[in-house]
Amino acid sequence: MADELKLEIVTPEKMAFQGIVEEVTIPGTEGQFGVLKGHAALLSSVDIGELSFTQDRKKTYYAVNAGYAEVTATKVTVLVETAERYDLIDRERAQKARERAQEKLAKLSREDVEFEKVRVALLRAIARLNVAGKT
Amino acid sequence: MAALKDIKRKITAVHKTRQITKAMNMVAASKFKAAQTRMESFRPYAAKFMEVLNSLALRVDAGSHPLLAVREPERIRVICMTSDRGLCGGFNNNLLKAVERFIKAKLGEGRDVAILPVGRKGRDFFRKKAKIVNARTEVFGKFDMSLAVGISDDVIPPFIGEEYDELYLFYNEFVNVAVQKPAVVRLFPLPAIDRKEEIESSKRLDYIYEPSAKELLEKLLPMYVHVLIYRALAETVAGENGARMAAMDNATRNCEELIQSLTLKYNKVRQSAITAELMDIVGGTEALAKG
């Protein structure tokens, strides 16, 4: 039995987080799932959303972009294209991004090429705002 | 006497040039350092990514994915990654020549070729020479993954929509500070992923896949494109600044040489002017004494 769980959040720009945690909650594409130490090996894609983990009984939140997570009994590696900690998110910018995306989306129809792109941008902005709202 | 003044002026001018090239060298050096850090911090991501992609490819056949579709290469697109700014030696020129050769060969075969320049130098070069789509300039000052994603969004949908059949990426491969090599990768159709790690895979953990391995692989393929493009971007920036460092170092050295030879010349001219003046005076006094 593994006695601790290591978490690594890797983005192209940097190692966003690295450390021993008690629990991780990952926004998988098939639904959110939690990981404790000793988890079965799992490979899941990660959706745009909110990732959280507990370290020393304190919860930390990250807004993550699409990617995937690799889980083994002792280690969780999350590879995402961006990851922002809740207290480092620029709320104003996220707010503006959301408004912009909503406006654009209202004008587009589902068949437009742009539609998917704007929809993803909107999801991202919403995720960032949600995470930024945590304390 | 005019010659003396001219030389002096020239020396001052070269001095100033040297100051500029030296400053540019130092700016390039610090930018290079940042670019190198970026490349290094990308490495764990890329390595991990490839590991998972390979292990997935071993388990499922991605043969039917639209990004792997092989078609008769009638219409070709080329991403041409250059720097935005010049004064970096042969960095851009070597690459542009390679791209131009490639295009000529393809046009010769009767293919249709369009260019997607990334970086101002590439766009300026091909503006009148070739068909350009989705040009991106002034992007290298500050960029992140979203730039790579943006470029991918320009190229993936039209490829899937069969608007073109092949995509090549030309960029400067970063060998070391002094050496950059023009390199080309075929992006689409994506080359089949290496499957030769068969033996090692038996040692691997058996994962639970969520969603299925096949779906997961399909999700990862576009991200693989992001990784490839991002790496090329990072190498371009590092290479550009490395090349500029070398070029500016050379320029500074040339300036110093020039200053040295000019100073020598200046002293010679000055000396001969003094000698001539002395001769005049001596000649004058002798004439007076005789009279």
Side-chain angles (χ1 to χ4, degrees), chain A residues 10-13 29-30 41-45 67-68 70 72 79-81, chain B residues 41-42 45 48-49 52 144-145 149 207-211 216 220 223 226:
Chain A
V10 192
T11 71
E13 269 132 71
T29 37
E30 308 284 278
L42 167 79
L43 196 68
S44 167
S45 52
Y68 66 87
E70 186 192 28
T72 64
L79 264 92
V80 284
E81 291 184 344
Chain B
S41 43
F42 180 57
Y45 181 86
K48 194 79 204 168
F49 189 88
V52 171
D144 55 20
M145 197 63 183
V149 174
Y207 290 106
I208 304 168
Y209 290 104
E210 201 175 301
L216 202 51
L220 287 187
M223 283 175 67
H226 301 169

PDB file of all heavy atoms in Angstrom, chain A residues 10-13 29-30 41-45 67-68 70 72 79-81, chain B residues 41-42 45 48-49 52 144-145 149 207-211 216 220 223 226:
ATOM      1  N   VAL A  10       1.649  19.536 -14.902  1.00  0.00           N
ATOM      2  CA  VAL A  10       2.659  19.980 -15.867  1.00  0.00           C
ATOM      3  C   VAL A  10       1.983  20.727 -17.008  1.00  0.00           C
ATOM      4  O   VAL A  10       1.004  20.248 -17.573  1.00  0.00           O
ATOM      5  CB  VAL A  10       3.439  18.780 -16.451  1.00  0.00           C
ATOM      6  CG1 VAL A  10       4.658  19.260 -17.207  1.00  0.00           C
ATOM      7  CG2 VAL A  10       3.853  17.823 -15.358  1.00  0.00           C
ATOM      8  N   THR A  11       2.485  21.914 -17.321  1.00  0.00           N
ATOM      9  CA  THR A  11       2.007  22.641 -18.491  1.00  0.00           C
ATOM     10  C   THR A  11       3.218  22.864 -19.393  1.00  0.00           C
ATOM     11  O   THR A  11       4.353  22.694 -18.952  1.00  0.00           O
ATOM     12  CB  THR A  11       1.398  24.006 -18.110  1.00  0.00           C
ATOM     13  OG1 THR A  11       2.461  24.866 -17.707  1.00  0.00           O
ATOM     14  CG2 THR A  11       0.392  23.891 -16.992  1.00  0.00           C
ATOM     15  N   PRO A  12       2.993  23.259 -20.640  1.00  0.00           N
ATOM     16  CA  PRO A  12       4.130  23.471 -21.533  1.00  0.00           C
ATOM     17  C   PRO A  12       5.090  24.536 -20.993  1.00  0.00           C
ATOM     18  O   PRO A  12       6.271  24.496 -21.269  1.00  0.00           O
ATOM     19  CB  PRO A  12       3.481  23.955 -22.827  1.00  0.00           C
ATOM     20  CG  PRO A  12       2.104  23.458 -22.769  1.00  0.00           C
ATOM     21  CD  PRO A  12       1.719  23.403 -21.336  1.00  0.00           C
ATOM     22  N   GLU A  13       4.563  25.466 -20.224  1.00  0.00           N
ATOM     23  CA  GLU A  13       5.431  26.551 -19.785  1.00  0.00           C
ATOM     24  C   GLU A  13       6.191  26.249 -18.510  1.00  0.00           C
ATOM     25  O   GLU A  13       7.302  26.701 -18.322  1.00  0.00           O
ATOM     26  CB  GLU A  13       4.623  27.832 -19.597  1.00  0.00           C
ATOM     27  CG  GLU A  13       4.599  28.654 -20.858  1.00  0.00           C
ATOM     28  CD  GLU A  13       3.199  29.100 -21.212  1.00  0.00           C
ATOM     29  OE1 GLU A  13       2.684  29.958 -20.507  1.00  0.00           O
ATOM     30  OE2 GLU A  13       2.636  28.561 -22.178  1.00  0.00           O
ATOM     31  N   THR A  29     -13.271  14.137 -18.658  1.00  0.00           N
ATOM     32  CA  THR A  29     -14.282  14.383 -19.693  1.00  0.00           C
ATOM     33  C   THR A  29     -15.524  13.532 -19.453  1.00  0.00           C
ATOM     34  O   THR A  29     -16.604  13.858 -19.890  1.00  0.00           O
ATOM     35  CB  THR A  29     -13.751  14.070 -21.098  1.00  0.00           C
ATOM     36  OG1 THR A  29     -12.910  12.936 -21.011  1.00  0.00           O
ATOM     37  CG2 THR A  29     -12.980  15.226 -21.670  1.00  0.00           C
ATOM     38  N   GLU A  30     -15.353  12.419 -18.740  1.00  0.00           N
ATOM     39  CA  GLU A  30     -16.498  11.556 -18.453  1.00  0.00           C
ATOM     40  C   GLU A  30     -17.102  11.899 -17.095  1.00  0.00           C
ATOM     41  O   GLU A  30     -17.863  11.123 -16.550  1.00  0.00           O
ATOM     42  CB  GLU A  30     -16.076  10.089 -18.443  1.00  0.00           C
ATOM     43  CG  GLU A  30     -15.339   9.662 -19.671  1.00  0.00           C
ATOM     44  CD  GLU A  30     -16.252   9.472 -20.866  1.00  0.00           C
ATOM     45  OE1 GLU A  30     -16.854   8.416 -20.967  1.00  0.00           O
ATOM     46  OE2 GLU A  30     -16.354  10.409 -21.687  1.00  0.00           O
ATOM     47  N   ALA A  41      -4.411   2.144 -11.625  1.00  0.00           N
ATOM     48  CA  ALA A  41      -3.832   2.895 -12.734  1.00  0.00           C
ATOM     49  C   ALA A  41      -4.929   3.347 -13.682  1.00  0.00           C
ATOM     50  O   ALA A  41      -5.786   2.562 -14.073  1.00  0.00           O
ATOM     51  CB  ALA A  41      -2.822   2.033 -13.458  1.00  0.00           C
ATOM     52  N   LEU A  42      -4.899   4.611 -14.025  1.00  0.00           N
ATOM     53  CA  LEU A  42      -5.977   5.179 -14.824  1.00  0.00           C
ATOM     54  C   LEU A  42      -5.408   6.232 -15.752  1.00  0.00           C
ATOM     55  O   LEU A  42      -4.489   6.968 -15.395  1.00  0.00           O
ATOM     56  CB  LEU A  42      -7.013   5.815 -13.882  1.00  0.00           C
ATOM     57  CG  LEU A  42      -8.070   6.731 -14.491  1.00  0.00           C
ATOM     58  CD1 LEU A  42      -9.162   5.913 -15.123  1.00  0.00           C
ATOM     59  CD2 LEU A  42      -8.647   7.655 -13.440  1.00  0.00           C
ATOM     60  N   LEU A  43      -5.942   6.276 -16.940  1.00  0.00           N
ATOM     61  CA  LEU A  43      -5.557   7.329 -17.868  1.00  0.00           C
ATOM     62  C   LEU A  43      -6.843   7.971 -18.345  1.00  0.00           C
ATOM     63  O   LEU A  43      -7.695   7.293 -18.916  1.00  0.00           O
ATOM     64  CB  LEU A  43      -4.786   6.732 -19.037  1.00  0.00           C
ATOM     65  CG  LEU A  43      -4.011   7.708 -19.880  1.00  0.00           C
ATOM     66  CD1 LEU A  43      -2.857   8.302 -19.095  1.00  0.00           C
ATOM     67  CD2 LEU A  43      -3.470   7.010 -21.108  1.00  0.00           C
ATOM     68  N   SER A  44      -6.996   9.237 -18.071  1.00  0.00           N
ATOM     69  CA  SER A  44      -8.249   9.884 -18.434  1.00  0.00           C
ATOM     70  C   SER A  44      -7.966  11.218 -19.092  1.00  0.00           C
ATOM     71  O   SER A  44      -6.990  11.884 -18.774  1.00  0.00           O
ATOM     72  CB  SER A  44      -9.094  10.106 -17.180  1.00  0.00           C
ATOM     73  OG  SER A  44     -10.163  10.984 -17.471  1.00  0.00           O
ATOM     74  N   SER A  45      -8.821  11.591 -20.012  1.00  0.00           N
ATOM     75  CA  SER A  45      -8.668  12.933 -20.562  1.00  0.00           C
ATOM     76  C   SER A  45      -9.302  13.916 -19.584  1.00  0.00           C
ATOM     77  O   SER A  45     -10.202  13.577 -18.826  1.00  0.00           O
ATOM     78  CB  SER A  45      -9.295  13.021 -21.944  1.00  0.00           C
ATOM     79  OG  SER A  45     -10.594  12.546 -21.908  1.00  0.00           O
ATOM     80  N   GLY A  67      -6.594  18.488 -21.409  1.00  0.00           N
ATOM     81  CA  GLY A  67      -5.364  17.719 -21.321  1.00  0.00           C
ATOM     82  C   GLY A  67      -5.698  16.312 -20.886  1.00  0.00           C
ATOM     83  O   GLY A  67      -6.775  15.817 -21.207  1.00  0.00           O
ATOM     84  N   TYR A  68      -4.794  15.682 -20.164  1.00  0.00           N
ATOM     85  CA  TYR A  68      -5.137  14.369 -19.634  1.00  0.00           C
ATOM     86  C   TYR A  68      -4.401  14.131 -18.323  1.00  0.00           C
ATOM     87  O   TYR A  68      -3.484  14.869 -17.964  1.00  0.00           O
ATOM     88  CB  TYR A  68      -4.833  13.262 -20.638  1.00  0.00           C
ATOM     89  CG  TYR A  68      -3.377  13.100 -20.928  1.00  0.00           C
ATOM     90  CD1 TYR A  68      -2.584  12.284 -20.137  1.00  0.00           C
ATOM     91  CD2 TYR A  68      -2.795  13.774 -21.984  1.00  0.00           C
ATOM     92  CE1 TYR A  68      -1.251  12.143 -20.380  1.00  0.00           C
ATOM     93  CE2 TYR A  68      -1.452  13.647 -22.244  1.00  0.00           C
ATOM     94  CZ  TYR A  68      -0.681  12.829 -21.437  1.00  0.00           C
ATOM     95  OH  TYR A  68       0.641  12.709 -21.679  1.00  0.00           O
ATOM     96  N   GLU A  70      -2.714  11.075 -15.730  1.00  0.00           N
ATOM     97  CA  GLU A  70      -2.256   9.707 -15.588  1.00  0.00           C
ATOM     98  C   GLU A  70      -2.188   9.419 -14.094  1.00  0.00           C
ATOM     99  O   GLU A  70      -1.528  10.134 -13.349  1.00  0.00           O
ATOM    100  CB  GLU A  70      -0.870   9.578 -16.229  1.00  0.00           C
ATOM    101  CG  GLU A  70      -0.357   8.175 -16.273  1.00  0.00           C
ATOM    102  CD  GLU A  70       1.111   8.136 -16.650  1.00  0.00           C
ATOM    103  OE1 GLU A  70       1.836   9.105 -16.364  1.00  0.00           O
ATOM    104  OE2 GLU A  70       1.534   7.123 -17.219  1.00  0.00           O
ATOM    105  N   THR A  72      -1.418   6.665 -11.045  1.00  0.00           N
ATOM    106  CA  THR A  72      -0.930   5.375 -10.554  1.00  0.00           C
ATOM    107  C   THR A  72      -1.135   5.388  -9.042  1.00  0.00           C
ATOM    108  O   THR A  72      -1.601   6.385  -8.490  1.00  0.00           O
ATOM    109  CB  THR A  72       0.554   5.153 -10.885  1.00  0.00           C
ATOM    110  OG1 THR A  72       1.317   6.127 -10.190  1.00  0.00           O
ATOM    111  CG2 THR A  72       0.829   5.260 -12.374  1.00  0.00           C
ATOM    112  N   LEU A  79      -1.355  16.534 -17.251  1.00  0.00           N
ATOM    113  CA  LEU A  79      -0.762  17.319 -18.329  1.00  0.00           C
ATOM    114  C   LEU A  79      -1.858  18.157 -18.961  1.00  0.00           C
ATOM    115  O   LEU A  79      -2.766  17.621 -19.590  1.00  0.00           O
ATOM    116  CB  LEU A  79      -0.140  16.403 -19.388  1.00  0.00           C
ATOM    117  CG  LEU A  79       1.354  16.174 -19.196  1.00  0.00           C
ATOM    118  CD1 LEU A  79       1.544  14.951 -18.360  1.00  0.00           C
ATOM    119  CD2 LEU A  79       2.061  16.067 -20.501  1.00  0.00           C
ATOM    120  N   VAL A  80      -1.766  19.454 -18.784  1.00  0.00           N
ATOM    121  CA  VAL A  80      -2.780  20.333 -19.354  1.00  0.00           C
ATOM    122  C   VAL A  80      -2.077  21.502 -20.038  1.00  0.00           C
ATOM    123  O   VAL A  80      -0.922  21.795 -19.739  1.00  0.00           O
ATOM    124  CB  VAL A  80      -3.742  20.874 -18.278  1.00  0.00           C
ATOM    125  CG1 VAL A  80      -4.720  19.813 -17.865  1.00  0.00           C
ATOM    126  CG2 VAL A  80      -2.969  21.396 -17.084  1.00  0.00           C
ATOM    127  N   GLU A  81      -2.798  22.119 -20.960  1.00  0.00           N
ATOM    128  CA  GLU A  81      -2.146  23.193 -21.716  1.00  0.00           C
ATOM    129  C   GLU A  81      -2.020  24.470 -20.901  1.00  0.00           C
ATOM    130  O   GLU A  81      -1.089  25.231 -21.101  1.00  0.00           O
ATOM    131  CB  GLU A  81      -2.868  23.406 -23.044  1.00  0.00           C
ATOM    132  CG  GLU A  81      -2.608  22.181 -23.931  1.00  0.00           C
ATOM    133  CD  GLU A  81      -3.182  22.262 -25.322  1.00  0.00           C
ATOM    134  OE1 GLU A  81      -4.050  23.111 -25.548  1.00  0.00           O
ATOM    135  OE2 GLU A  81      -2.754  21.464 -26.157  1.00  0.00           O
TER     136      GLU A  81
ATOM    137  N   SER B  41      11.761  24.071 -19.891  1.00  0.00           N
ATOM    138  CA  SER B  41      10.589  23.754 -19.084  1.00  0.00           C
ATOM    139  C   SER B  41       9.526  23.055 -19.915  1.00  0.00           C
ATOM    140  O   SER B  41       8.599  22.460 -19.363  1.00  0.00           O
ATOM    141  CB  SER B  41      10.028  25.005 -18.401  1.00  0.00           C
ATOM    142  OG  SER B  41      10.018  26.072 -19.287  1.00  0.00           O
ATOM    143  N   PHE B  42       9.658  23.122 -21.220  1.00  0.00           N
ATOM    144  CA  PHE B  42       8.708  22.423 -22.076  1.00  0.00           C
ATOM    145  C   PHE B  42       9.038  20.937 -22.162  1.00  0.00           C
ATOM    146  O   PHE B  42       8.173  20.109 -22.398  1.00  0.00           O
ATOM    147  CB  PHE B  42       8.727  23.051 -23.470  1.00  0.00           C
ATOM    148  CG  PHE B  42       7.774  22.409 -24.437  1.00  0.00           C
ATOM    149  CD1 PHE B  42       6.430  22.349 -24.137  1.00  0.00           C
ATOM    150  CD2 PHE B  42       8.223  21.883 -25.630  1.00  0.00           C
ATOM    151  CE1 PHE B  42       5.543  21.761 -25.019  1.00  0.00           C
ATOM    152  CE2 PHE B  42       7.344  21.302 -26.519  1.00  0.00           C
ATOM    153  CZ  PHE B  42       6.000  21.234 -26.212  1.00  0.00           C
ATOM    154  N   TYR B  45       7.017  18.222 -20.259  1.00  0.00           N
ATOM    155  CA  TYR B  45       5.674  18.118 -20.817  1.00  0.00           C
ATOM    156  C   TYR B  45       5.707  17.293 -22.097  1.00  0.00           C
ATOM    157  O   TYR B  45       4.951  16.344 -22.261  1.00  0.00           O
ATOM    158  CB  TYR B  45       5.134  19.515 -21.103  1.00  0.00           C
ATOM    159  CG  TYR B  45       3.729  19.552 -21.655  1.00  0.00           C
ATOM    160  CD1 TYR B  45       2.633  19.552 -20.797  1.00  0.00           C
ATOM    161  CD2 TYR B  45       3.498  19.604 -23.017  1.00  0.00           C
ATOM    162  CE1 TYR B  45       1.347  19.605 -21.284  1.00  0.00           C
ATOM    163  CE2 TYR B  45       2.211  19.641 -23.519  1.00  0.00           C
ATOM    164  CZ  TYR B  45       1.135  19.646 -22.642  1.00  0.00           C
ATOM    165  OH  TYR B  45      -0.137  19.691 -23.149  1.00  0.00           O
ATOM    166  N   LYS B  48       6.618  13.543 -21.429  1.00  0.00           N
ATOM    167  CA  LYS B  48       5.498  12.821 -20.831  1.00  0.00           C
ATOM    168  C   LYS B  48       4.401  12.600 -21.868  1.00  0.00           C
ATOM    169  O   LYS B  48       3.799  11.540 -21.954  1.00  0.00           O
ATOM    170  CB  LYS B  48       4.965  13.649 -19.655  1.00  0.00           C
ATOM    171  CG  LYS B  48       4.052  12.926 -18.743  1.00  0.00           C
ATOM    172  CD  LYS B  48       4.814  12.033 -17.794  1.00  0.00           C
ATOM    173  CE  LYS B  48       3.898  10.927 -17.321  1.00  0.00           C
ATOM    174  NZ  LYS B  48       4.607   9.867 -16.624  1.00  0.00           N
ATOM    175  N   PHE B  49       4.170  13.631 -22.638  1.00  0.00           N
ATOM    176  CA  PHE B  49       3.123  13.560 -23.646  1.00  0.00           C
ATOM    177  C   PHE B  49       3.405  12.450 -24.653  1.00  0.00           C
ATOM    178  O   PHE B  49       2.550  11.631 -24.968  1.00  0.00           O
ATOM    179  CB  PHE B  49       3.014  14.903 -24.375  1.00  0.00           C
ATOM    180  CG  PHE B  49       1.834  14.984 -25.281  1.00  0.00           C
ATOM    181  CD1 PHE B  49       0.614  15.407 -24.795  1.00  0.00           C
ATOM    182  CD2 PHE B  49       1.935  14.619 -26.608  1.00  0.00           C
ATOM    183  CE1 PHE B  49      -0.490  15.463 -25.608  1.00  0.00           C
ATOM    184  CE2 PHE B  49       0.832  14.671 -27.437  1.00  0.00           C
ATOM    185  CZ  PHE B  49      -0.385  15.095 -26.940  1.00  0.00           C
ATOM    186  N   VAL B  52       2.885   8.915 -23.231  1.00  0.00           N
ATOM    187  CA  VAL B  52       1.497   8.465 -23.172  1.00  0.00           C
ATOM    188  C   VAL B  52       0.953   8.204 -24.572  1.00  0.00           C
ATOM    189  O   VAL B  52       0.272   7.211 -24.823  1.00  0.00           O
ATOM    190  CB  VAL B  52       0.634   9.511 -22.438  1.00  0.00           C
ATOM    191  CG1 VAL B  52      -0.833   9.169 -22.565  1.00  0.00           C
ATOM    192  CG2 VAL B  52       1.033   9.583 -20.988  1.00  0.00           C
ATOM    193  N   ASP B 144       2.649  32.111 -25.834  1.00  0.00           N
ATOM    194  CA  ASP B 144       2.466  30.937 -24.995  1.00  0.00           C
ATOM    195  C   ASP B 144       1.761  29.867 -25.808  1.00  0.00           C
ATOM    196  O   ASP B 144       1.678  29.954 -27.022  1.00  0.00           O
ATOM    197  CB  ASP B 144       1.700  31.301 -23.713  1.00  0.00           C
ATOM    198  CG  ASP B 144       0.379  31.987 -24.036  1.00  0.00           C
ATOM    199  OD1 ASP B 144      -0.094  31.836 -25.171  1.00  0.00           O
ATOM    200  OD2 ASP B 144      -0.169  32.657 -23.154  1.00  0.00           O
ATOM    201  N   MET B 145       1.266  28.881 -25.106  1.00  0.00           N
ATOM    202  CA  MET B 145       0.634  27.755 -25.785  1.00  0.00           C
ATOM    203  C   MET B 145      -0.533  28.202 -26.648  1.00  0.00           C
ATOM    204  O   MET B 145      -0.826  27.582 -27.660  1.00  0.00           O
ATOM    205  CB  MET B 145       0.155  26.763 -24.722  1.00  0.00           C
ATOM    206  CG  MET B 145      -0.138  25.400 -25.268  1.00  0.00           C
ATOM    207  SD  MET B 145       1.346  24.643 -25.947  1.00  0.00           S
ATOM    208  CE  MET B 145       0.674  23.134 -26.588  1.00  0.00           C
ATOM    209  N   VAL B 149      -1.926  26.831 -30.225  1.00  0.00           N
ATOM    210  CA  VAL B 149      -3.309  26.385 -30.395  1.00  0.00           C
ATOM    211  C   VAL B 149      -3.973  27.171 -31.522  1.00  0.00           C
ATOM    212  O   VAL B 149      -4.685  26.612 -32.359  1.00  0.00           O
ATOM    213  CB  VAL B 149      -4.098  26.551 -29.075  1.00  0.00           C
ATOM    214  CG1 VAL B 149      -5.563  26.222 -29.283  1.00  0.00           C
ATOM    215  CG2 VAL B 149      -3.521  25.661 -27.988  1.00  0.00           C
ATOM    216  N   TYR B 207      -3.651   0.324 -17.770  1.00  0.00           N
ATOM    217  CA  TYR B 207      -4.476   1.425 -17.312  1.00  0.00           C
ATOM    218  C   TYR B 207      -5.953   1.149 -17.522  1.00  0.00           C
ATOM    219  O   TYR B 207      -6.337   0.398 -18.414  1.00  0.00           O
ATOM    220  CB  TYR B 207      -4.126   2.692 -18.096  1.00  0.00           C
ATOM    221  CG  TYR B 207      -2.784   3.254 -17.763  1.00  0.00           C
ATOM    222  CD1 TYR B 207      -1.728   3.124 -18.649  1.00  0.00           C
ATOM    223  CD2 TYR B 207      -2.589   3.941 -16.576  1.00  0.00           C
ATOM    224  CE1 TYR B 207      -0.492   3.655 -18.354  1.00  0.00           C
ATOM    225  CE2 TYR B 207      -1.352   4.471 -16.268  1.00  0.00           C
ATOM    226  CZ  TYR B 207      -0.309   4.328 -17.155  1.00  0.00           C
ATOM    227  OH  TYR B 207       0.906   4.855 -16.865  1.00  0.00           O
ATOM    228  N   ILE B 208      -6.728   1.828 -16.712  1.00  0.00           N
ATOM    229  CA  ILE B 208      -8.144   1.939 -17.023  1.00  0.00           C
ATOM    230  C   ILE B 208      -8.222   3.175 -17.921  1.00  0.00           C
ATOM    231  O   ILE B 208      -7.644   4.205 -17.591  1.00  0.00           O
ATOM    232  CB  ILE B 208      -8.968   2.231 -15.747  1.00  0.00           C
ATOM    233  CG1 ILE B 208      -8.708   1.168 -14.689  1.00  0.00           C
ATOM    234  CG2 ILE B 208     -10.435   2.355 -16.088  1.00  0.00           C
ATOM    235  CD1 ILE B 208      -9.251   1.552 -13.315  1.00  0.00           C
ATOM    236  N   TYR B 209      -8.888   3.066 -19.042  1.00  0.00           N
ATOM    237  CA  TYR B 209      -8.972   4.236 -19.913  1.00  0.00           C
ATOM    238  C   TYR B 209     -10.337   4.883 -19.805  1.00  0.00           C
ATOM    239  O   TYR B 209     -11.359   4.212 -19.817  1.00  0.00           O
ATOM    240  CB  TYR B 209      -8.706   3.843 -21.367  1.00  0.00           C
ATOM    241  CG  TYR B 209      -7.288   3.459 -21.595  1.00  0.00           C
ATOM    242  CD1 TYR B 209      -6.928   2.130 -21.729  1.00  0.00           C
ATOM    243  CD2 TYR B 209      -6.300   4.435 -21.645  1.00  0.00           C
ATOM    244  CE1 TYR B 209      -5.610   1.767 -21.918  1.00  0.00           C
ATOM    245  CE2 TYR B 209      -4.986   4.083 -21.831  1.00  0.00           C
ATOM    246  CZ  TYR B 209      -4.646   2.750 -21.968  1.00  0.00           C
ATOM    247  OH  TYR B 209      -3.350   2.407 -22.153  1.00  0.00           O
ATOM    248  N   GLU B 210     -10.295   6.176 -19.721  1.00  0.00           N
ATOM    249  CA  GLU B 210     -11.552   6.892 -19.560  1.00  0.00           C
ATOM    250  C   GLU B 210     -11.490   8.170 -20.392  1.00  0.00           C
ATOM    251  O   GLU B 210     -10.714   9.060 -20.064  1.00  0.00           O
ATOM    252  CB  GLU B 210     -11.735   7.246 -18.080  1.00  0.00           C
ATOM    253  CG  GLU B 210     -13.149   7.527 -17.725  1.00  0.00           C
ATOM    254  CD  GLU B 210     -13.295   7.749 -16.239  1.00  0.00           C
ATOM    255  OE1 GLU B 210     -12.959   6.846 -15.464  1.00  0.00           O
ATOM    256  OE2 GLU B 210     -13.716   8.849 -15.884  1.00  0.00           O
ATOM    257  N   PRO B 211     -12.154   8.371 -21.480  1.00  0.00           N
ATOM    258  CA  PRO B 211     -12.993   7.385 -22.174  1.00  0.00           C
ATOM    259  C   PRO B 211     -12.140   6.268 -22.755  1.00  0.00           C
ATOM    260  O   PRO B 211     -10.999   6.120 -22.347  1.00  0.00           O
ATOM    261  CB  PRO B 211     -13.637   8.234 -23.267  1.00  0.00           C
ATOM    262  CG  PRO B 211     -12.699   9.369 -23.478  1.00  0.00           C
ATOM    263  CD  PRO B 211     -12.066   9.632 -22.171  1.00  0.00           C
ATOM    264  N   LEU B 216      -9.620   8.419 -26.457  1.00  0.00           N
ATOM    265  CA  LEU B 216      -8.570   9.180 -25.792  1.00  0.00           C
ATOM    266  C   LEU B 216      -7.485   9.568 -26.797  1.00  0.00           C
ATOM    267  O   LEU B 216      -7.030  10.708 -26.851  1.00  0.00           O
ATOM    268  CB  LEU B 216      -7.972   8.321 -24.676  1.00  0.00           C
ATOM    269  CG  LEU B 216      -7.258   9.033 -23.553  1.00  0.00           C
ATOM    270  CD1 LEU B 216      -8.109  10.140 -22.989  1.00  0.00           C
ATOM    271  CD2 LEU B 216      -6.907   8.043 -22.457  1.00  0.00           C
ATOM    272  N   LEU B 220      -6.087  13.168 -28.074  1.00  0.00           N
ATOM    273  CA  LEU B 220      -4.683  13.548 -27.901  1.00  0.00           C
ATOM    274  C   LEU B 220      -4.027  13.987 -29.205  1.00  0.00           C
ATOM    275  O   LEU B 220      -3.092  14.767 -29.188  1.00  0.00           O
ATOM    276  CB  LEU B 220      -3.884  12.378 -27.304  1.00  0.00           C
ATOM    277  CG  LEU B 220      -4.146  12.091 -25.842  1.00  0.00           C
ATOM    278  CD1 LEU B 220      -3.199  11.038 -25.329  1.00  0.00           C
ATOM    279  CD2 LEU B 220      -3.996  13.354 -24.999  1.00  0.00           C
ATOM    280  N   MET B 223      -3.779  17.613 -29.755  1.00  0.00           N
ATOM    281  CA  MET B 223      -2.831  18.160 -28.791  1.00  0.00           C
ATOM    282  C   MET B 223      -1.392  17.861 -29.204  1.00  0.00           C
ATOM    283  O   MET B 223      -0.479  18.625 -28.909  1.00  0.00           O
ATOM    284  CB  MET B 223      -3.094  17.573 -27.404  1.00  0.00           C
ATOM    285  CG  MET B 223      -4.295  18.207 -26.734  1.00  0.00           C
ATOM    286  SD  MET B 223      -4.687  17.420 -25.186  1.00  0.00           S
ATOM    287  CE  MET B 223      -3.274  17.854 -24.204  1.00  0.00           C
ATOM    288  N   HIS B 226      -0.394  20.547 -31.340  1.00  0.00           N
ATOM    289  CA  HIS B 226      -0.004  21.711 -30.534  1.00  0.00           C
ATOM    290  C   HIS B 226       1.435  21.564 -30.043  1.00  0.00           C
ATOM    291  O   HIS B 226       2.217  22.499 -30.079  1.00  0.00           O
ATOM    292  CB  HIS B 226      -0.912  21.867 -29.301  1.00  0.00           C
ATOM    293  CG  HIS B 226      -2.355  22.041 -29.636  1.00  0.00           C
ATOM    294  ND1 HIS B 226      -3.333  21.976 -28.688  1.00  0.00           N
ATOM    295  CD2 HIS B 226      -2.982  22.272 -30.804  1.00  0.00           C
ATOM    296  CE1 HIS B 226      -4.509  22.158 -29.256  1.00  0.00           C
ATOM    297  NE2 HIS B 226      -4.325  22.333 -30.550  1.00  0.00           N
TER     298      HIS B 226
END
